[in-house]
Amino acid sequence: MFDHTLLATRLTRHRDLVIAGPLPAAQDPDGMYITEREGKRSVRTAPLQDGGRLLIVTGEAFRPGTGEDTEAVHSRLREWTEQNFPGVTITHRWAARPRTTPPRTPRRS
């Protein structure tokens, strides 16, 4: 791909941490939610084959290569999830790699 505007060089790299675990159907928040407070979290569920739901929570981020303690970042996300969804057992965790442009980057129509 040839990028005439060199926008790819202005993308910022960061990782959004995500955790997930099975949740009884009765505890399903039934929707997708984003918290308003500082330390935003995104909460949603997905169906499981056994009729339960998979709780998916994201909201902690870090920049690769900065030396940040990613275990501590995962711990904050896990603690928030366990506090707000008692009884959930975290079985999965990963880091999504969204790319965002810095402010005032021109966009082509």
Side-chain angles (χ1 to χ4, degrees):
M1 175 174 95
F2 185 71
D3 183 3
H4 292 283
T5 60
L6 299 175
L7 288 179
T9 61
R10 292 185 242 165
L11 296 175
T12 58
R13 290 187 173 96
H14 70 277
R15 302 263 174 113
D16 288 336
L17 299 182
V18 185
I19 58 174
L23 186 71
Q27 287 184 269
D28 186 355
D30 195 31
M32 180 176 157
Y33 302 93
I34 299 176
T35 62
E36 293 181 333
R37 291 171 273 174
E38 193 172 319
K40 287 186 178 178
R41 303 285 187 257
S42 171
V43 176
R44 69 198 82 179
T45 61
L48 292 172
Q49 289 181 349
D50 66 1
R53 303 293 291 178
L54 181 68
L55 178 70
I56 303 168
V57 179
T58 186
E60 290 287 339
F62 73 98
R63 291 181 187 265
T66 61
E68 188 171 355
D69 182 1
T70 57
E71 287 302 318
V73 178
H74 265 114
S75 290
R76 284 194 304 265
L77 190 58
R78 185 183 66 247
E79 288 168 10
W80 184 91
T81 302
E82 291 171 347
Q83 178 183 358
N84 289 279
F85 296 92
V88 69
T89 301
I90 305 305
T91 56
H92 299 78
R93 69 182 210 169
W94 66 94
R97 296 187 299 174
R99 294 181 184 242
T100 55
T101 58
R104 299 189 180 138
T105 300
R107 296 188 180 171
R108 295 178 70 177
S109 317

